[in-house]
Amino acid sequence: MAMTGVVKDELSRLPVLKPCCRKAEVSTLLRFASGLHLVSGRIVIEAELDTNVTARRLIKDIGEVFGHKAEVLVLAPAGLRKGSRYLVRVYRDGEALARQTGLIDNHGRPVRGLPRQVVAGATCDAEAAWRGAFLAHGSLTEPGRSMSLEVTCPGPEAALALVGSARRLKIHAKAREVRGVDRVVVRDGDAIGALLTRLGAHDSVLAWEDRRMRREFRATANRLANFDDANLRRSARAAVAAGARVQRALEILGEEAPEHLVIAGRLRVEHKQASLEELGQLADPPLTKDAIAGRIRRLLAMADKRAQDVGIPNTEANLTVDMLSP
């Protein structure tokens, strides 16, 4: 099951006992998932949800907390919608429920943001508001480079109110508009884990963090492997280039080269893929890495000076484009 479904399933089964939290959750869920309709002069509330368990939770809370009866209709998959949708409808007492949940004000006008009792409520109300918003129109992507927890909002006022609720929970969320749709997004991995914990999705947090750790471990391993591979390629290319320069240096100096420098140079030519430390171990007697490097460096410097004095190509004349490429 995708992470969004896992979280929604757990949140829909989470027991909430405090009346204020249940009211805040229902009010926010209806604000984010519902539409107000006038049928024969009567206000009808309809909330379209994507899971059956969420629909049952909403019907139960509407009955137990607000004392109204709701019904549910199942909408079969159609078009781009692959799964069934569940339409929770309050017909008889729609106006009363709309006033109780803050969907309309005292003058019967629709409220654009979240109800005042949710915005000005306690911290538990802010948690309940986020829980209701996520159940209505939330999504959680798999952990990775572009991980995010996102809620689609009915308007900019509701988005800003949800951002304010996140701020009260010490969670950094950002409101943005994408192709005319208002969204609230949490992108930081630690913030996503903290928010899910505050909402009560503890099992989902463990599953999400486990996937996140595996993804990060795999990415780190790949980066290290690529880094080591690149270093090995650069080292091998540099060794081959050094061998070509040493070969040219021996040709330039001939018998004038000091014997100890010639020995170091021949080791470099004969073992082009070896590291300086390995070349030192091949010497007789063995030399340190710095000692073998110093002798090769002096050999090249001596040959370049001789080539300049005589007016012939120096030790870099044997280098090819492949040897010089990074």
Side-chain angles (χ1 to χ4, degrees):
M1 185 185 296
M3 286 306 305
T4 299
V6 172
V7 176
K8 287 189 176 183
D9 184 72
E10 183 175 4
L11 292 181
S12 297
R13 303 176 191 278
L14 179 71
V16 178
L17 302 179
K18 295 178 66 175
C20 64
C21 297
R22 298 180 73 181
K23 290 180 180 178
E25 181 182 317
V26 172
S27 298
T28 308
L29 199 156
L30 289 178
R31 180 70 185 91
F32 277 69
S34 74
L36 296 177
H37 306 281
L38 278 177
V39 179
S40 301
R42 174 182 296 175
I43 293 179
V44 177
I45 297 177
E46 292 182 342
E48 188 174 329
L49 304 169
D50 53 6
T51 65
N52 183 30
V53 64
T54 303
R56 292 201 306 268
R57 178 185 181 90
L58 178 59
I59 292 174
K60 177 183 177 182
D61 287 343
I62 289 175
E64 294 181 356
V65 178
F66 296 100
H68 303 301
K69 184 179 180 180
E71 60 182 7
V72 61
L73 301 176
V74 180
L75 306 178
L80 298 176
R81 190 177 61 210
K82 296 181 180 180
S84 299
R85 303 283 292 180
Y86 301 88
L87 187 67
V88 176
R89 175 183 293 170
V90 179
Y91 180 79
R92 185 182 302 275
D93 303 313
E95 182 174 353
L97 180 61
R99 291 184 184 278
Q100 289 174 302
T101 55
L103 295 180
I104 59 176
D105 60 18
N106 294 330
H107 301 284
R109 296 171 299 192
V111 174
R112 294 184 177 275
L114 289 179
R116 184 178 65 256
Q117 61 268 25
V118 176
V119 175
T123 304
C124 63
D125 294 326
E127 296 172 351
W130 261 93
R131 188 162 52 246
F134 189 87
L135 288 172
H137 276 302
S139 64
L140 176 63
T141 62
E142 292 287 333
R145 184 176 300 177
S146 59
M147 56 187 168
S148 67
L149 187 151
E150 186 174 291
V151 176
T152 302
C153 304
E157 297 86 358
L160 292 176
L162 198 61
V163 170
S165 296
R167 189 180 303 116
R168 291 165 59 195
L169 300 176
K170 304 294 189 295
I171 302 295
H172 176 70
K174 183 179 294 186
R176 60 192 183 98
E177 182 180 337
V178 181
R179 293 187 291 273
V181 178
D182 293 284
R183 305 176 189 272
V184 173
V185 184
V186 180
R187 293 200 177 278
D188 181 71
D190 293 334
I192 292 174
L195 180 57
L196 291 176
T197 302
R198 298 295 295 265
L199 300 188
H202 302 292
D203 292 339
S204 300
V205 170
L206 294 177
W208 191 82
E209 289 289 357
D210 180 64
R211 297 186 189 186
R212 179 188 174 195
M213 289 178 61
R214 290 186 181 184
R215 187 70 62 88
E216 290 179 351
F217 178 79
R218 188 159 52 243
T220 301
N222 290 336
R223 283 197 302 271
L224 291 176
N226 293 336
F227 179 77
D228 291 342
D229 186 55
N231 278 344
L232 288 174
R233 288 198 301 270
R234 281 194 293 269
S235 298
R237 193 178 293 117
V240 172
R245 290 191 65 193
V246 168
Q247 180 67 48
R248 176 61 181 164
L250 295 175
E251 294 173 358
I252 294 173
L253 295 176
E255 297 181 355
E256 297 180 8
E259 184 179 357
H260 67 290
L261 300 185
V262 173
I263 293 174
R266 287 176 178 171
L267 286 173
R268 177 76 284 172
V269 173
E270 294 171 359
H271 306 279
K272 293 183 179 181
Q273 299 292 340
S275 65
L276 290 173
E277 187 174 355
E278 291 170 340
L279 291 182
Q281 295 299 319
L282 293 172
D284 187 19
L287 299 173
T288 65
K289 173 183 175 181
D290 292 336
I292 198 77
R295 292 187 181 187
I296 293 176
R297 190 163 51 247
R298 288 196 297 273
L299 176 67
L300 295 176
M302 185 180 296
D304 285 337
K305 186 176 185 306
R306 177 63 183 276
Q308 183 178 4
D309 294 341
V310 178
I312 60 176
N314 60 15
T315 59
E316 295 183 355
N318 284 2
L319 297 182
T320 64
V321 176
D322 293 338
M323 297 178 186
L324 296 174
S325 61

